Protein backbone atom coordinates (compact mmCIF):
# COMPACT_ATOMS: atom_id res chain seq x y z
CA UNK A 1 0.00 0.00 0.00
CA UNK A 2 1.51 3.31 -1.07
CA UNK A 3 1.08 5.97 1.57
CA UNK A 4 2.32 9.47 2.20
CA UNK A 5 2.16 10.35 5.87
CA UNK A 6 4.61 12.95 7.14
CA UNK A 7 5.50 14.40 10.49
CA UNK A 8 7.95 17.12 11.50
CA UNK A 9 9.92 16.69 14.74
CA UNK A 10 12.32 19.17 16.28
CA UNK A 11 15.21 18.32 18.56
CA UNK A 12 18.07 20.18 20.19
CA UNK A 13 21.47 18.55 19.64
CA UNK A 14 22.59 17.41 23.09
CA UNK A 15 26.12 17.73 24.47
CA UNK A 16 26.47 13.95 24.81
CA UNK A 17 25.84 13.56 21.06
CA UNK A 18 28.82 15.65 19.93
CA UNK A 19 32.57 15.14 19.71
CA UNK A 20 35.33 17.40 21.05
CA UNK A 21 34.77 19.81 18.13
CA UNK A 22 31.07 20.04 19.11
CA UNK A 23 30.01 18.30 15.89
CA UNK A 24 27.27 15.68 16.20
CA UNK A 25 28.84 12.24 15.75
CA UNK A 26 27.51 10.52 12.61
CA UNK A 27 26.18 7.49 14.49
CA UNK A 28 23.93 9.66 16.65
CA UNK A 29 21.85 10.69 13.65
CA UNK A 30 20.22 7.26 13.87
CA UNK A 31 18.91 8.07 17.36
CA UNK A 32 17.19 11.19 16.03
CA UNK A 33 15.70 9.17 13.15
CA UNK A 34 14.32 6.70 15.72
CA UNK A 35 12.77 9.42 17.86
CA UNK A 36 11.20 11.10 14.82
CA UNK A 37 9.85 7.78 13.52
CA UNK A 38 8.29 7.06 16.94
CA UNK A 39 6.54 10.44 16.84
CA UNK A 40 5.14 9.68 13.37
CA UNK A 41 3.87 6.26 14.51
CA UNK A 42 2.23 7.88 17.55
CA UNK A 43 0.54 10.35 15.17
CA UNK A 44 -0.62 7.41 13.04
CA UNK A 45 -2.11 5.72 16.11
CA UNK A 46 -0.17 2.46 15.78
CA UNK A 47 3.14 2.64 17.59
CA UNK A 48 5.70 0.07 18.72
CA UNK A 49 3.80 -0.65 21.94
CA UNK A 50 0.66 -1.53 19.96
CA UNK A 51 2.69 -3.58 17.49
CA UNK A 52 4.26 -5.62 20.27
CA UNK A 53 0.88 -6.06 21.98
CA UNK A 54 -0.44 -7.46 18.67
CA UNK A 55 2.49 -9.88 18.51
CA UNK A 56 4.65 -8.16 15.91
CA UNK A 57 8.15 -6.74 15.79
CA UNK A 58 9.36 -4.36 13.09
CA UNK A 59 13.17 -4.59 12.99
CA UNK A 60 15.20 -2.27 10.80
CA UNK A 61 16.55 -4.30 7.88
CA UNK A 62 18.01 -1.45 5.85
CA UNK A 63 19.44 1.95 6.72
CA UNK A 64 20.87 4.44 4.25
CA UNK A 65 22.18 7.83 5.41
CA UNK A 66 23.70 10.62 3.36
CA UNK A 67 25.54 13.29 5.34
CA UNK A 68 25.58 16.72 3.72
CA UNK A 69 26.68 19.17 6.43
CA UNK A 70 27.23 18.88 10.18
CA UNK A 71 24.95 19.59 13.09
CA UNK A 72 26.56 21.21 16.12
CA UNK A 73 25.99 21.22 19.87
CA UNK A 74 22.82 23.15 20.78
CA UNK A 75 21.58 23.36 17.18
CA UNK A 76 17.86 22.90 16.77
CA UNK A 77 17.31 20.36 14.02
CA UNK A 78 14.10 19.59 12.16
CA UNK A 79 13.46 16.00 11.06
CA UNK A 80 10.73 15.54 8.47
CA UNK A 81 9.77 11.87 8.51
CA UNK A 82 7.61 10.40 5.77
CA UNK A 83 6.09 6.92 5.74
CA UNK A 84 6.24 6.25 2.02
CA UNK A 85 5.42 2.56 1.71
CA UNK A 86 3.50 0.03 3.72
CA UNK A 87 3.44 -3.11 1.58
CA UNK A 88 5.75 -5.89 2.71
CA UNK A 89 8.02 -3.40 4.49
CA UNK A 90 7.54 -0.12 6.28
CA UNK A 91 9.66 2.38 4.37
CA UNK A 92 10.50 5.77 5.79
CA UNK A 93 12.29 8.77 4.33
CA UNK A 94 13.91 11.42 6.54
CA UNK A 95 15.11 14.93 5.83
CA UNK A 96 17.16 16.61 8.55
CA UNK A 97 17.56 20.38 8.36
CA UNK A 98 18.97 23.08 10.61
CA UNK A 99 17.13 26.22 11.72
CA UNK A 100 18.22 28.02 8.53
CA UNK A 101 16.52 25.33 6.43
CA UNK A 102 19.83 23.92 5.22
CA UNK A 103 19.89 20.20 4.53
CA UNK A 104 22.12 18.37 7.01
CA UNK A 105 21.27 14.81 6.14
CA UNK A 106 18.87 12.59 4.25
CA UNK A 107 18.09 8.99 5.18
CA UNK A 108 15.89 6.01 4.41
CA UNK A 109 14.97 3.01 6.51
CA UNK A 110 13.08 -0.21 5.79
CA UNK A 111 11.49 -2.39 8.46
CA UNK A 112 10.33 -5.96 8.03
CA UNK A 113 7.31 -7.36 9.85
CA UNK A 114 8.10 -10.30 12.12
CA UNK A 115 5.46 -12.40 13.87
CA UNK A 116 7.06 -12.64 17.32
CA UNK A 117 5.74 -16.05 18.37
CA UNK A 118 7.16 -17.90 15.37
CA UNK A 119 9.89 -15.39 14.45
CA UNK A 120 8.66 -15.64 10.88
CA UNK A 121 8.73 -12.79 8.42
CA UNK A 122 5.28 -11.66 7.34
CA UNK A 123 4.72 -10.58 3.79
CA UNK A 124 1.58 -8.64 4.60
CA UNK A 125 0.99 -5.84 7.07
CA UNK A 126 -0.98 -6.64 10.22
CA UNK A 127 -4.70 -5.84 10.07
CA UNK A 128 -4.39 -3.38 12.98
CA UNK A 129 -1.84 -1.35 11.01
CA UNK A 130 -4.07 -1.36 7.93
CA UNK A 131 -7.00 -0.13 10.09
CA UNK A 132 -4.83 2.60 11.64
CA UNK A 133 -3.75 3.79 8.17
CA UNK A 134 -7.35 3.82 6.96
CA UNK A 135 -8.53 5.73 10.05
CA UNK A 136 -5.68 8.22 9.70
CA UNK A 137 -6.44 8.84 6.02
CA UNK A 138 -10.16 9.31 6.76
CA UNK A 139 -9.34 11.77 9.55
CA UNK A 140 -7.01 13.72 7.24
CA UNK A 141 -9.72 14.04 4.58
CA UNK A 142 -12.04 15.87 7.00
Amino acid sequence: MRVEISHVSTFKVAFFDVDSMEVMWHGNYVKYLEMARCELLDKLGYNYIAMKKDGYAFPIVKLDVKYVRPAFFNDVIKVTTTLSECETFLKFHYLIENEKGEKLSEANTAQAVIEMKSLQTCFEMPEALKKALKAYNEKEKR
Side-chain angles (χ1 to χ4, degrees), residues 16 23 26 33 39 55 61 70 78 81 91 103 114 124 132:
F16 53 79
V23 173
H26 70 278
L33 301 180
E39 285 187 11
V61 295
K78 177 175 85 168
T81 308
K91 291 187 179 178
K103 183 194 303 187
I114 306 295
E124 191 175 325

Side-chain angles (χ1 to χ4, degrees), residues 65-92:
V65 184
K66 178 180 180 184
Y67 301 97
V68 178
R69 60 172 38 97
F72 297 93
F73 170 60
N74 245 2
D75 279 356
V76 174
I77 59 173
K78 177 175 85 168
V79 183
T80 303
T81 308
T82 304
L83 174 60
S84 58
E85 189 179 319
C86 186
E87 198 70 38
T88 56
F89 294 93
L90 291 180
K91 291 187 179 178
F92 293 90

Side-chain angles (χ1 to χ4, degrees), residues 8-90:
V8 176
S9 305
T10 56
F11 304 105
K12 195 172 200 176
V13 176
F15 180 73
F16 53 79
D17 285 337
V18 300
D19 61 20
S20 60
M21 293 172 43
E22 296 190 359
V23 173
M24 185 162 72
W25 178 63
H26 70 278
N28 285 326
Y29 281 74
V30 176
K31 175 173 58 176
Y32 291 92
L33 301 180
E34 293 274 347
M35 292 187 301
R37 187 172 58 250
C38 285
E39 285 187 11
L40 184 144
L41 292 172
D42 285 341
K43 177 181 175 178
L44 176 61
Y46 194 69
N47 59 23
Y48 291 120
I49 294 167
M51 293 172 187
K52 184 178 177 184
K53 185 178 149 212
D54 288 344
Y56 296 99
F58 285 74
I60 298 286
V61 295
K62 185 174 183 185
L63 167 67
D64 177 46
V65 184
K66 178 180 180 184
Y67 301 97
V68 178
R69 60 172 38 97
F72 297 93
F73 170 60
N74 245 2
D75 279 356
V76 174
I77 59 173
K78 177 175 85 168
V79 183
T80 303
T81 308
T82 304
L83 174 60
S84 58
E85 189 179 319
C86 186
E87 198 70 38
T88 56
F89 294 93
L90 291 180

